[in-house]
Amino acid sequence: MNTAVSRRLFWGVTVLSLSLIVILALVLASVVRQQKQVQRSVPVVEKIELGRVADPIAPSVGTATDAETLSSLFQQAVGRVRDAVVYIQVDVGGGSDPGWEERFFQPSPRQSVGSGVIIGKDGYIITNSHVVERASRILVTLADKRQFAAIVVGTDASTDLAVLKIEGAEELPVAMLGNSDEVEVGQWVLAIGNPFRLTSTVTAGIVSALGRQVNIIGDSFGIEDFIQTDAAINPGNSGGALVDLNGALVGINTAIATESGSYEGYGFAVPVNLASRIATDLIAYGEVQRAFLGVEIRRVDARLAERIGLENIGGVYLHDVWRGAAADRAGLRIGDVVVTVGGQAVNAPNELQSLIARQRPGDSVELDVWRRGTVRRFAVVLMGREDPAAKTWFADRSAEDQRPEEVPPEHLIPDVDVTHLEDLGIGVRLPSERDLSRFGADSGVYVAYVEKGGAAAGAGLMRDVLIQSVDARSAESIVDLQRYLTLARNDQRSALLEVVRRDGTAAFYEIDF
């Protein structure tokens, strides 16, 4: 009997001990998890490494979260990056019409404000070019209220980005770069900046769209591939941070679409993958080492796709290839449709421009190109502005821009009747037999000249081509051409012109009236 009691006592003590051990292990695991969460909530101040992403704190896709958990994620994300967002005050010289006090005394500078993001412990800050435009003095205020004078390291009008530098600052908080290629429509983002001089303001929203082009960059080589968000962005937010729920920088807030001048639900940010590429060059060289394909491009719509026999409406159409340029050397031709760049699909001209803008002269990039029903791959070694083909093209473009807006037809084509089409800003005539032979065509309308500033010039149409059709209707005479253009204008739509060049290649131009 005593032996049985002893056995029961032994096993009871054993089970109790094991239970205590399991409970202690669970408690220790919980403490470790809490410590890791606390450590992860500390703002990252490490030196930036391009492409490196912060340790994830947001739940994986598909994980359900309640309001309290989501609020906690917002707080942790803000804690990681808010200290790296700065307030920028810019003094700009007096206006073009100074008052009496500016005529007789020292000119009074005007002041504008914006935001910036610290991207390097050595004092480099990225912002928008328009924030520091015509600056005579720049003052940067950190989140901890320290103030420093800043200099402009470099600006890039094509992307509306600039890099500043402050000296003498220690223990600077640095933003961690995310990967904007992984950003998806519908995901949560936070905008951090200084709207209306309200410093360190945080707003939340989602990614509304990707690859937006809103025609706000006036540079002739402007690159617009914006992330659109409904997070509130207002004047003063320009140059600030757009971050994901890991607190990683995914964009630089740049602009809003508005009729009132304030937030209406449409904000736009430069993707960080493009911004970091531009910033790296500005820091290293003071300017951007821009790469060129050497092509002129246009979007593919349903009409163009049907005309060239492209089954899927997508890609980017090459309506001109510079002779001797990178694309030409690689074997690309007018009429090709670029469908991928470096393995990434492109469906609009600005998407192709953005992907090429991330490269440097001399880089090799693979393009998948649709040509007459088949897709081929081309390896293109990109060229720089100093390439002879690029120099020739820029010189020709400059000469074209300096031509008089109207050139009398008789100076171009003596002793030939030329009809001026005012709506398009072109002069046309019937082709001679010699013209038809050179173009390898049976009929068409010859373009004798193109006026600068006209609708045709705006679409990229050049002289010395033969118009073959308008909206797939054969144009065998000037009367045909005028009739089809009138139909398009009366229907309040654009007209699609098919032309043939002297080398026999076809091209398409969409004319807006």
Side-chain angles (χ1 to χ4, degrees):
M1 187 69 179
N2 290 337
T3 302
V5 171
S6 298
R7 288 176 179 174
R8 285 198 298 271
L9 182 61
F10 170 77
W11 286 112
V13 172
T14 300
V15 170
L16 180 61
S17 299
L18 290 174
S19 299
L20 290 172
I21 291 172
V22 170
I23 291 171
L24 181 60
L26 291 173
V27 170
L28 289 173
S30 176
V31 170
V32 169
R33 283 197 300 271
Q34 291 177 358
Q35 288 178 340
K36 287 183 178 179
Q37 290 177 349
V38 170
Q39 291 172 354
R40 287 176 178 175
S41 67
V42 176
V44 177
V45 295
E46 301 166 350
K47 184 176 178 62
I48 266 190
E49 296 179 17
L50 297 183
R52 180 182 172 194
V53 182
D55 295 334
I57 56 177
S60 60
V61 176
T63 302
T65 59
D66 56 26
E68 185 176 350
T69 302
L70 184 60
S71 177
S72 177
L73 291 173
F74 284 169
Q75 294 170 34
Q76 292 181 67
V78 171
R80 285 186 158 197
V81 72
R82 182 170 54 189
D83 288 349
V85 179
V86 303
Y87 177 60
I88 299 175
Q89 295 170 272
V90 179
D91 287 344
V92 182
S96 57
D97 186 20
W100 67 268
E101 71 280 5
E102 293 186 20
R103 292 191 181 98
F104 296 100
F105 301 101
Q106 188 70 20
S108 301
R110 293 176 290 111
Q111 190 178 85
S112 62
V113 299
S115 306
V117 183
I118 302 173
I119 57 172
K121 277 189 172 183
D122 40 6
Y124 289 109
I125 296 169
I126 190 168
T127 185
N128 285 137
S129 178
H130 75 260
V131 169
V132 296
E133 189 176 15
R134 297 188 301 275
S136 60
R137 178 175 178 267
I138 302 173
L139 184 65
V140 170
T141 304
L142 308 187
D144 60 10
K145 309 303 181 185
R146 287 184 292 167
Q147 291 187 328
F148 299 90
I151 61 170
V152 177
V153 174
T155 63
D156 180 49
S158 295
T159 54
D160 192 18
L161 292 172
V163 172
L164 311 179
K165 193 174 192 302
I166 57 177
E167 298 287 354
E170 298 180 353
E171 299 181 1
L172 285 175
V174 177
M176 182 66 70
L177 298 188
N179 184 353
S180 52
D181 288 342
E182 296 179 355
V183 171
E184 297 182 0
V185 174
Q187 79 172 64
W188 281 103
V189 286
L190 305 174
I192 306 175
N194 309 289
F196 303 118
R197 299 178 184 261
L198 301 173
T199 58
S200 298
T201 294
V202 181
T203 57
I206 64 168
V207 173
S208 305
L210 298 171
R212 285 297 196 207
Q213 182 170 7
V214 291
N215 299 319
I216 61 166
I217 296 179
D219 186 78
S220 59
F221 289 96
I223 300 167
E224 296 188 6
D225 188 25
F226 295 125
I227 299 171
Q228 181 182 332
T229 178
D230 64 353
I233 295 175
N234 281 292
N237 272 113
S238 292
L242 187 73
V243 303
D244 61 19
L245 290 193
N246 288 317
L249 189 69
V250 295
I252 300 297
N253 297 322
T254 297
I256 58 176
T258 176
E259 294 183 357
S260 66
S262 298
Y263 171 73
E264 293 181 2
Y266 308 97
F268 303 94
V270 178
V272 70
N273 288 9
L274 175 60
S276 60
R277 157 74 176 87
I278 299 301
T280 299
D281 268 13
L282 292 179
I283 293 170
Y285 310 109
E287 63 180 9
V288 177
Q289 304 292 302
R290 182 146 286 128
F292 295 93
L293 267 176
V295 297
E296 294 182 33
I297 56 181
R298 58 159 294 179
R299 66 187 178 91
V300 175
D301 56 20
R303 285 194 296 164
L304 177 57
E306 181 181 5
R307 185 64 179 164
I308 63 178
L310 183 64
E311 292 183 2
N312 300 317
I313 304 172
V316 178
Y317 179 80
L318 304 187
H319 76 76
D320 196 10
V321 177
W322 310 352
R323 183 171 300 176
D328 184 38
R329 293 194 290 257
L332 274 69
R333 298 292 178 262
I334 295 171
D336 286 346
V337 178
V338 179
V339 293
T340 71
V341 176
Q344 291 187 246
V346 291
N347 287 298
N350 63 315
E351 294 177 0
L352 186 149
Q353 290 174 313
S354 179
L355 290 173
I356 295 300
R358 299 185 197 177
Q359 312 300 321
R360 288 188 171 84
D363 287 351
S364 179
V365 61
E366 290 190 338
L367 273 60
D368 287 337
V369 173
W370 179 92
R371 179 184 293 173
R372 297 178 182 177
T374 61
V375 176
R376 302 172 56 184
R377 178 162 292 179
F378 295 86
V380 183
V381 179
L382 300 174
M383 65 182 186
R385 188 177 286 267
E386 297 304 313
D387 187 283
K391 284 185 174 181
T392 299
W393 187 85
F394 283 117
D396 290 344
R397 182 184 179 120
S398 177
E400 182 73 25
D401 290 341
Q402 293 173 9
R403 289 180 184 174
E405 292 203 6
E406 292 192 15
V407 180
E410 62 271 13
H411 287 184
L412 290 172
I413 312 206
D415 304 322
V416 175
D417 291 332
V418 175
T419 300
H420 178 68
L421 303 183
E422 185 174 354
D423 288 346
L424 269 66
I426 62 174
V428 296
R429 63 174 175 82
L430 289 176
S432 65
E433 289 298 327
R434 184 181 179 187
D435 289 328
L436 294 175
S437 175
R438 286 177 174 176
F439 284 103
D442 296 326
S443 63
V445 177
Y446 180 80
V447 179
Y449 65 90
V450 178
E451 290 182 350
K452 180 182 176 183
L461 182 68
M462 302 177 68
R463 65 173 299 272
D464 195 29
V465 297
L466 202 63
I467 298 175
Q468 295 280 276
S469 69
V470 180
D471 296 330
R473 298 183 180 95
S474 179
E476 298 183 359
S477 68
I478 296 175
V479 173
D480 288 344
L481 176 62
Q482 290 174 311
R483 181 167 66 250
Y484 302 147
L485 291 172
T486 299
L487 287 173
R489 184 173 57 254
N490 291 343
D491 291 343
Q492 296 183 339
R493 58 178 173 81
S494 59
L496 184 67
L497 271 61
E498 179 189 7
V499 308
V500 63
R501 307 181 189 215
R502 287 195 179 274
D503 61 2
T505 58
F508 296 86
Y509 299 90
E510 190 169 13
I511 309 293
D512 292 318
F513 296 100

